[in-house]
Amino acid sequence: MAADILIYEGCNFFRQRLILATLSGKTVKIKKIRAKDDNPGLRDFEASFIRLLDKVTNGSKIVVSETGTCLLYQPGLLIGGNVDHDCNLKRAIGYYLEALLCLSPFTKEPLHAVLKGITNDQTDPSVDLIKLSMLPVLKRFLGTDEGLELKVSRRGAAPDGGGEVVFTCPCRQKLRPIQLTEPGKVKRIRGIAWATRVSPAIANRIVDSTRSILNKCLPDIYIYTDHHKGSQSGRSPGFGLTLVAETTNGVFLSAESASNPKGSENGVTVPEDLGKNTALLLLQEIYKGGCVDTTGQSMAALFMVLGQQDVSKLLIGQLTPYTIQYLRHIRDFLQVMFKMDVQRKDEEDTQTGGDNLLLTCVGVGYSNISKRIL
């Protein structure tokens, strides 16, 4: 039995290990979790994440040591269905949603998850970014967007949250392989400028400052203003912006920023500065190139491996440290390694600014054993 257990040390890449353990069915043991800290062991948001995994699976065995510095996770069967979860306020809803996106295609029943907490902060991907850039990537592997939806019922800024989102996803027998190697050229930019418990004029100020940068690049720009009032506005004041650039080949590249939370030592964020900085972040993302942005590349790599036993290819702009570690964990849990080729850009090529990386792998033919074949 011990030979079947994968053993890791430390709290880094906690979600990666538990997600891959759930999908592969392998038991994982994580030791020395913050063993040298003054406050050792699992944090509350990690315990909340474990509870969420327990809700979407059936028969999982979870053992935590008395000090919280050791975790044994033996995954059960992914069942999905209706899930209601209060996310810990130390991390945003996006922290939990990223995991659900990876697991939801393989559940027994279509997933209908209601998550409550912080919808937008400065650490985790916001629900807007996940909706605008990560759901289109998931759609490519599912083959359809029928039943795939992410709806913001209430918006909640950091630090007190009060937001609520509803995520629904269909389950599939198998995922499709992809050949995504041509990003195309940017044809339009869309965005959401949101504000809660502050003046509605702030969202308009964000839009004006953002357009002062992006109007120099292309004319097709539309940024929605989303101002919530009363019970729909959460418990904390805040504002922010999410931008997404869509290319002629249906590729979505995104960037976002959020204001400093109430009581922050960094002071109050100026809306005009936030708008300009977010516009520059989007241009930087476009400069990197590739067919997925930095937020979605790790999920895309995972689904390439879990696809049918066929070759999948994906062009990305630049590997993030998070994705690099994800690829290492994929090798541990699923025994798959990627072939990587640098795609050099000619000086005359004006589509992107940097060299790109072409990821190639053969899927393992992962099958959803819970879903009956029609």
Side-chain angles (χ1 to χ4, degrees):
M1 178 65 181
D4 298 329
I5 299 178
L6 288 170
I7 300 175
Y8 295 97
E9 291 186 2
C11 62
N12 288 341
F13 310 105
F14 183 78
R15 285 182 306 165
Q16 292 185 13
R17 293 163 180 171
L18 297 190
I19 290 170
L20 287 168
T22 304
L23 291 170
S24 65
K26 294 183 178 179
T27 303
V28 64
K29 185 177 184 180
I30 304 176
K31 304 188 299 182
K32 298 182 181 179
I33 302 173
R34 301 184 182 89
K36 296 182 179 180
D37 279 20
D38 293 337
N39 181 22
L42 293 170
R43 297 290 181 258
D44 289 341
F45 68 87
E46 292 166 333
S48 178
F49 179 74
I50 294 172
R51 287 194 294 272
L52 177 62
L53 282 183
D54 192 40
K55 290 178 181 178
V56 297
T57 59
N58 183 27
S60 294
K61 181 181 178 182
I62 302 166
V63 180
V64 181
S65 66
E66 288 186 11
T67 58
T69 57
C70 184
L71 167 70
L72 179 70
Y73 176 65
Q74 185 176 344
L77 186 68
L78 275 167
I79 54 171
N82 295 323
V83 174
D84 195 323
H85 188 68
D86 289 321
C87 303
N88 185 270
L89 295 181
K90 292 297 183 181
R91 300 302 292 259
I93 290 175
Y95 175 85
Y96 304 87
L97 261 180
E98 282 186 296
L100 288 183
L101 257 63
C102 296
L103 299 174
S104 54
F106 308 106
T107 55
K108 182 178 181 179
E109 301 291 338
L111 181 67
H112 182 277
V114 179
L115 303 178
K116 301 168 186 173
I118 296 171
T119 57
N120 303 78
D121 73 352
Q122 296 180 327
T123 306
D124 299 300
S126 71
V127 293
D128 304 299
L129 186 140
I130 289 175
K131 181 177 182 178
L132 293 174
S133 74
M134 294 184 71
L135 287 194
V137 176
L138 177 55
K139 175 186 171 182
R140 288 183 181 274
F141 289 94
L142 293 176
T144 178
D145 60 354
E146 183 180 353
L148 181 63
E149 185 183 13
L150 179 58
K151 179 183 177 183
V152 182
S153 304
R154 294 199 299 266
R155 194 174 289 279
D160 299 325
E164 179 180 298
V165 303
V166 180
F167 173 59
T168 59
C169 182
C171 45
R172 287 286 179 269
Q173 179 70 25
K174 292 182 179 179
L175 296 181
R176 299 171 57 184
I178 63 166
Q179 301 282 330
L180 201 54
T181 58
E182 294 294 333
K185 295 186 178 181
V186 174
K187 65 178 182 180
R188 60 173 167 242
I189 292 175
R190 297 291 182 262
I192 298 175
W194 60 272
T196 60
R197 297 195 175 274
V198 294
S199 169
I202 285 184
N204 296 325
R205 290 165 60 186
I206 293 173
V207 172
D208 291 341
S209 63
T210 305
R211 294 185 71 97
S212 70
I213 300 289
L214 297 180
N215 279 347
K216 302 172 185 177
C217 304
L218 77 166
D220 192 355
I221 301 171
Y222 192 87
I223 303 173
Y224 302 86
T225 54
D226 183 25
H227 182 261
H228 285 275
K229 296 185 293 184
S231 61
Q232 305 298 313
S233 62
R235 303 189 186 100
S236 294
F239 54 88
L241 173 66
T242 301
L243 295 174
V244 61
E246 183 182 354
T247 73
T248 51
N249 289 346
V251 169
F252 295 86
L253 305 172
S254 62
E256 68 176 357
S257 298
S259 61
N260 292 329
K262 178 183 66 176
S264 170
E265 297 178 356
N266 297 324
V268 179
T269 306
V270 180
E272 285 78 9
D273 292 345
L274 184 142
K276 290 178 181 178
N277 290 339
T278 310
L280 295 175
L281 286 174
L282 181 66
L283 294 177
Q284 193 174 50
E285 196 73 42
I286 295 170
Y287 177 88
K288 293 176 184 176
C291 296
V292 294
D293 58 20
T294 51
T295 308
Q297 61 183 224
S298 57
M299 182 186 73
L302 174 64
F303 285 158
M304 287 170 67
V305 172
L306 297 175
Q308 299 176 30
Q309 291 179 325
D310 200 350
V311 176
S312 287
K313 293 185 177 182
L314 176 67
L315 189 73
I316 64 172
Q318 181 179 334
L319 274 177
T320 64
Y322 184 85
T323 304
I324 291 171
Q325 188 60 47
Y326 218 130
L327 298 180
R328 291 171 179 160
H329 282 136
I330 286 174
R331 179 195 59 196
D332 294 346
F333 284 91
L334 299 169
Q335 288 77 53
V336 174
M337 296 180 67
F338 282 78
K339 178 186 177 185
M340 299 184 186
D341 298 304
V342 177
Q343 303 291 299
R344 300 289 181 186
K345 290 291 180 181
D346 298 328
E347 291 183 3
E348 298 177 357
D349 192 338
T350 57
Q351 284 193 56
T352 57
D355 295 335
N356 292 159
L357 200 61
L358 182 65
L359 302 183
T360 307
C361 79
V362 177
V364 298
Y366 188 88
S367 179
N368 185 351
I369 59 175
S370 303
K371 184 173 176 62
R372 291 180 294 179
I373 302 174
L374 299 178

